[in-house]
Amino acid sequence: MKLLKPLFLLFLLSTNSVIKAQFTDEINSNRPGNSMGAYSVGKTVFQLESGVNYINESHNTSDYDVSGFGLDLTARYGFWKEQFEVSLDLQFQKDKYSTDLFETDRSGLKQTTLGAKYLFYDPYYKKKEEKPNIYSWRANHKFRWKSLIPAISGYVAVNYLMKNDYYTKNLSGFSPKVVLITQNHFTHKWALVTNIIADKIATDGFNYGAIATVTYGINEKWSAMLEGRIIKDDFNDDPTFTTGATYLLKENLQLDFVINKNIENEPSHFSGGLGVSWRFDKRHEDPAIKEGKEVKSDKKSRKDKSKNGVLSEEELEKEAKKAEKRKRKNKSEEIEPSEKPVEEKKKRVDDLETGE
């Protein structure tokens, strides 16, 4: 129970903050923390998130030291629906493992995970935006109880353990992973993400735990985060804390730095590094909403509507523009015939004056 206190205190601090939701067209990255946000990248959106880290690990009892670097890469893609995405997580590490008896260089993929995430519930989706109260500062900044209702997602994945320097004997090559994700937005500055995790299920490497991440938006470009994580398996249940910051370089490009440190010394972990997130969203289109529900707006459905005599708003706008062009053309044609006789009369007068 003592080990759960840091996460519990972190949760209380974050939920007592005054926060409010705000959604923008800017990139939405899971970096630099270890948690996974509830929202997907969006339909037809492709996103890459990567970082390089210095790693140091030691164990007092086993008397070993590890130092090196790690490279992580996550590729995310949304399809089928706005709420759905698939992702591939890769973690490569290269280090030196040292004891009093020997030293060895190691390298290889420590993690390969293919997964899918679906947003089951979004408390802000399809709701009207609240208008600010121009007469009361307090009304615009007071705590709103409905902000305690989180967005909820589910994530399922398959791990693949490769036989390399980090391979653990007797562990299965394939293993499932599931995560329950919640995300709260309390103000335009504060947000809370929680993950409940069960990993390597039904194998000797089974572990479970929780992550809570608090994010604070400093201004339009900078944001900071604080995270608490506890993962329990047969070897440890040591809490790890993470802090970091992000800088929005462009709407589709984000830079970040991060530091991770656990509490105990068996083993002791430390890592820190830099990362980047990039999004390609040129093909993305906002979903069509009719009577509060998402509907398909493909070309076939628009043609069928036209045949039935019912035009969409887009088609009505096009027809209005065409009518306006025809109207201007007709006006110009009416003016031209009236000007032509005047020009011919003037020419005849000029001919008479010159004696032709």
Side-chain angles (χ1 to χ4, degrees):
M1 292 298 293
K2 290 182 179 180
L3 296 174
L4 295 175
K5 285 183 179 180
L7 282 179
F8 181 69
L9 290 173
L10 180 61
F11 178 80
L12 288 179
L13 287 172
S14 61
T15 52
N16 284 334
S17 304
V18 182
I19 30 191
K20 159 180 145 184
Q22 183 182 19
F23 299 100
T24 68
D25 293 328
E26 298 165 357
I27 187 170
N28 179 21
S29 175
N30 290 325
R31 292 191 58 86
N34 299 285
S35 64
M36 185 184 303
Y39 295 95
S40 68
V41 291
K43 192 175 179 180
T44 69
V45 175
F46 176 71
Q47 187 163 309
L48 287 175
E49 304 170 7
S50 183
V52 59
N53 301 282
Y54 167 75
I55 299 169
N56 183 269
E57 179 180 323
S58 61
H59 199 295
N60 289 343
T61 303
S62 300
D63 193 24
Y64 72 79
D65 290 289
V66 175
S67 62
F69 73 92
L71 177 66
D72 58 82
L73 174 67
T74 300
R76 303 167 63 185
Y77 182 72
F79 73 97
W80 179 43
K81 290 186 177 182
E82 285 289 311
Q83 301 92 334
F84 183 79
E85 77 170 37
V86 293
S87 60
L88 175 65
D89 295 317
L90 302 173
Q91 290 184 6
F92 174 83
Q93 185 165 319
K94 181 177 177 60
D95 59 41
K96 178 175 286 187
Y97 182 90
S98 304
T99 68
D100 291 339
L101 301 176
F102 69 93
E103 289 185 355
T104 182
D105 292 325
R106 306 184 301 180
S107 64
L109 283 170
K110 291 192 69 174
Q111 176 179 308
T112 304
T113 305
L114 178 64
K117 179 174 67 178
Y118 186 79
L119 177 65
F120 291 104
Y121 177 71
D122 182 0
Y124 311 106
Y125 187 53
K126 301 171 187 170
K127 290 190 176 181
K128 293 182 179 179
E129 186 178 353
E130 294 185 3
K131 295 182 179 180
N133 189 330
I134 61 175
Y135 302 104
S136 173
W137 182 91
R138 183 179 179 278
N140 293 324
H141 293 80
K142 69 179 181 180
F143 180 78
R144 290 173 173 80
W145 288 102
K146 64 181 180 181
S147 65
L148 294 177
I149 302 173
I152 302 174
S153 288
Y155 172 82
V156 293
V158 175
N159 301 301
Y160 175 60
L161 182 62
M162 295 185 179
K163 291 189 176 182
N164 54 31
D165 292 336
Y166 301 101
Y167 177 76
T168 303
K169 191 177 180 181
N170 299 326
L171 286 186
S172 174
F174 292 93
S175 61
K177 177 180 181 178
V178 296
V179 183
L180 176 65
I181 308 165
T182 68
Q183 184 167 339
N184 294 82
H185 291 264
F186 302 98
T187 70
H188 64 285
K189 289 183 176 291
W190 289 93
L192 169 68
V193 173
T194 61
N195 289 183
I196 308 299
I197 305 166
D199 196 8
K200 298 181 176 63
I201 301 169
T203 70
D204 293 338
F206 172 68
N207 62 80
Y208 61 93
I211 306 175
T213 308
V214 181
T215 305
Y216 175 73
I218 301 171
N219 53 41
E220 292 182 356
K221 295 291 185 180
W222 286 96
S223 66
M225 55 80 64
L226 178 65
E227 179 180 274
R229 174 180 50 162
I230 181 168
I231 303 296
K232 182 175 176 58
D233 56 24
D234 293 338
F235 301 101
N236 65 73
D237 52 6
D238 183 18
T240 300
F241 290 93
T242 301
T243 185
T246 64
Y247 178 75
L248 187 67
L249 195 62
K250 295 181 180 179
E251 286 189 352
N252 66 336
L253 185 62
Q254 172 188 290
L255 306 178
D256 65 75
F257 73 88
V258 65
I259 295 174
N260 298 277
K261 182 70 177 74
N262 69 331
I263 294 177
E264 297 184 358
N265 293 319
E266 295 185 352
S268 172
H269 298 277
F270 172 83
S271 66
L274 303 172
V276 61
S277 301
W278 172 78
R279 178 181 71 180
F280 178 79
D281 57 358
K282 299 297 183 184
R283 297 174 57 194
H284 179 260
E285 294 181 2
D286 291 331
I289 304 298
K290 183 178 179 181
E291 297 178 356
K293 294 182 180 180
E294 183 177 335
V295 295
K296 292 183 178 180
S297 57
D298 53 9
K299 293 181 180 179
K300 185 178 179 181
S301 63
R302 287 198 295 269
K303 287 180 180 178
D304 292 340
K305 287 181 181 178
S306 299
K307 289 178 182 178
N308 296 329
V310 181
L311 299 179
S312 65
E313 291 183 5
E314 184 180 349
E315 289 172 322
L316 287 172
E317 187 177 348
K318 288 181 179 179
E319 290 298 327
K321 288 180 180 179
K322 288 180 181 178
E324 184 66 27
K325 286 182 179 179
R326 286 196 297 267
K327 187 177 179 181
R328 288 197 299 268
K329 185 178 180 181
N330 291 336
K331 283 184 178 180
S332 63
E333 288 176 352
E334 289 175 2
I335 294 171
E336 284 177 2
S338 62
E339 290 178 347
K340 190 174 181 180
V342 174
E343 291 177 357
E344 290 179 354
K345 185 177 180 181
K346 185 179 179 183
K347 184 179 180 182
R348 288 198 299 271
V349 172
D350 292 340
D351 292 342
L352 290 171
E353 290 177 352
T354 56
E356 293 179 2

